Amino acid sequence: MDKTHISVWNKCLKIIKDNVSGQNFKTWFEPIKAVRLENQILTIEVPSQFFYEWLEEHYLTLLKKVMRNQLGNEGRLEYSILMENALSSAQQYKVKVPGRTNGELKNAPMNMPVNINSGIRNPFVIPGLKKVNVDSQLNAGYSFDTFVEGECNRLARSAGYAVAGKPGGTSFNPLLIYGSVGMGKTHLAHAIGIEIKSRNPEKTVLYVSSEKFTHQFTDAVRNNTHNDFVHFYQMIDALIIDDIQFFAGKEKTQDVFFHIFNHLHQTGRQLVLTSDKAPVDLQGMEQRLLSRFKWGLSADLQMPDLETRIAILMKKMYVDGIDLPREIVEYIAYSITANVRELEGALISILAQASLNRKAITLELAKSMIDKFVKNTTHEVSIDYIQKVVCDYFSLPIDLLKSKTRKRQVVQARQIAMFFAKSMTKSSLSLIGANCGGKDHATVLHACRTVNNLMDTDKKFKANVVELQKKITHTSK
Ligand code: ADP
Ligand code: MG
């Protein structure tokens, strides 16, 4: 009856599942990985410092209970934190949580005090400005309901949700969401604003793009209303500024933003910022601003994986009342891998094309539309797509190809997929390996050599590969 970290943690999860809501379980416990069990110490890996603090704040009693239940009074829990911080993305560090038989928190060295909202109001009476008059500028369509959760956005989304539940009252202040174009930053920023407003209708929430902020400021300077401008922004309870990379090089705007930022932060209001770059990569930004961004949490948004892309399309179709066959949705999701905006764009152009020409939407139509779409954006074939075509060809489930199994037939299909991924995409060997059963770059190189050798020696094999190549390039051209 050997206990392993996996078996112990699975048993813990079973109990936890019965004690927390489904959503909370998904958000806070599914992402946890048990990594080892030594001397009655179970080490679990959590995605971030934030995640760790959240567990400590909300689930300490429950975790203690399940640990004692599984490992007895000697049982301890240790966290390993996978830092999401832009400064050191690959770094890992460990937090030792001494056994807490008396339930005391103070022994946990990493348990930072949370910045509790003091609820201080702006002490100035601002003539002519009534809080109720501020239009939040929020787009109701960009809510949490329509924002699909995935591995790609888990931290940012849950941090956003936490902030919305306790604006100014978490340690994620400011919350900086970053990611490249079309990844959902604006959507998530609105979602946070909408959620704050719906839970706290009395709070003044404002969404503004950096561009608009900059224009308003220049106008204010020109019209001698600089003070009104500053006062207006200083009375906001939750200020959301989109695309702050736009402030780069604009010293005066950064300066006024710095003062507004300080005032809001000091009085316990919430700041949510988005940027197309990680804070470290933001050039032309004053150091004192950058250092303030680090006070809170920076969380990134990445390109959704295939399943999430499918879920996003399905959600969009549901919201818009559209019904499309699953194979078409899958085809779009396989083919468009650049960003979410393009993904939606492809769906919309297929619908538009079909309704303009009064044609039924078939896979053929979808393919020809996507071809154009993909060509226009000089797109390369994706690893996902190659895997899909290879798996269809060999009638294998894609999961198997992505698994670690060493079954002969799967190994060969996997090698072929690696071979095509190497020759048809710009992906690195290690990325290809990671996508094909978690292999390393050497395995991918070996696969490419094997396929080349086999093509030289085995005619039938070569014919298969050539046929597959045609399939891949034909449908993705
Ligand atoms: P960004 O501001 O990062 O450039 P947007 O927020 O404008 O990106 O997102 C582009 C489009 O993709 C929007 O229509 C948005 O609703 C959609 N989108 C992005 N991520 C998601 C997601 N996780 N779930 C649903 N829709 C998403
Ligand atoms: Mg945006």
Side-chain angles (χ1 to χ4, degrees), residues 119-270:
I120 300 170
R121 292 280 135 193
N122 185 342
F124 303 112
V125 180
I126 302 144
L129 277 178
K130 279 214 190 107
K131 298 190 79 141
V132 283
N133 284 344
V134 177
D135 177 350
S136 292
Q137 312 282 331
L138 292 165
N139 175 347
Y142 283 166
S143 62
F144 271 111
D145 277 350
T146 55
F147 191 77
V148 175
E149 183 177 357
E151 213 47 65
C152 53
N153 60 34
R154 184 150 288 140
L155 174 71
R157 189 186 179 282
S158 33
Y161 204 75
V163 158
K166 226 174 163 189
T170 67
S171 47
F172 327 131
N173 201 11
L175 173 61
L176 176 67
I177 301 162
Y178 66 95
S180 60
V181 63
M183 292 298 166
K185 300 181 295 292
T186 298
H187 188 146
L188 184 55
H190 278 276
I192 297 169
I194 292 168
E195 190 69 22
I196 295 179
K197 198 72 197 162
S198 86
R199 294 199 204 182
N200 314 272
E202 79 292 351
K203 285 210 192 289
T204 315
V205 178
L206 180 68
Y207 167 91
V208 64
S209 69
S210 310
E211 213 166 342
K212 190 157 175 191
F213 182 92
T214 306
H215 289 318
Q216 287 175 347
F217 173 63
T218 345
D219 284 349
V221 172
R222 190 181 320 119
N223 301 330
N224 251 331
T225 51
H226 176 274
N227 283 348
D228 289 348
F229 174 84
V230 173
H231 284 156
F232 172 79
Y233 274 97
Q234 286 186 340
M235 67 168 200
I236 307 294
D237 293 313
L239 178 61
I240 304 163
I241 304 200
D242 205 0
D243 290 317
I244 51 156
Q245 75 276 358
F246 190 78
F247 286 163
K250 302 190 174 65
E251 277 166 35
K252 296 239 166 61
T253 311
Q254 287 183 35
D255 198 46
V256 74
F257 175 58
F258 179 75
H259 289 292
I260 292 168
F261 182 107
N262 283 343
H263 178 89
L264 295 180
H265 198 275
Q266 277 160 16
T267 50
R269 311 327 159 66
Q270 181 68 44

Side-chain angles (χ1 to χ4, degrees), residues 48-62:
S48 67
Q49 172 72 21
F50 150 57
F51 209 100
Y52 160 72
E53 287 177 14
W54 188 275
L55 288 176
E56 286 287 290
E57 196 184 344
H58 298 268
Y59 299 107
L60 180 64
T61 323
L62 178 60

Side-chain angles (χ1 to χ4, degrees), residues 66-107:
V66 295
M67 288 313 296
R68 197 173 307 147
N69 184 304
Q70 290 305 312
L71 296 173
N73 280 339
E74 294 303 301
R76 292 193 201 176
L77 191 61
E78 216 176 86
Y79 297 81
S80 161
I81 298 180
L82 210 55
M83 293 228 309
E84 78 294 342
N85 207 312
L87 289 171
S88 43
S89 52
Q91 197 181 334
Q92 259 202 357
Y93 67 96
K94 288 180 188 136
V95 183
K96 203 159 192 171
V97 183
R100 290 202 210 99
T101 34
N102 55 5
E104 271 191 344
L105 258 173
K106 63 174 192 272
N107 286 339

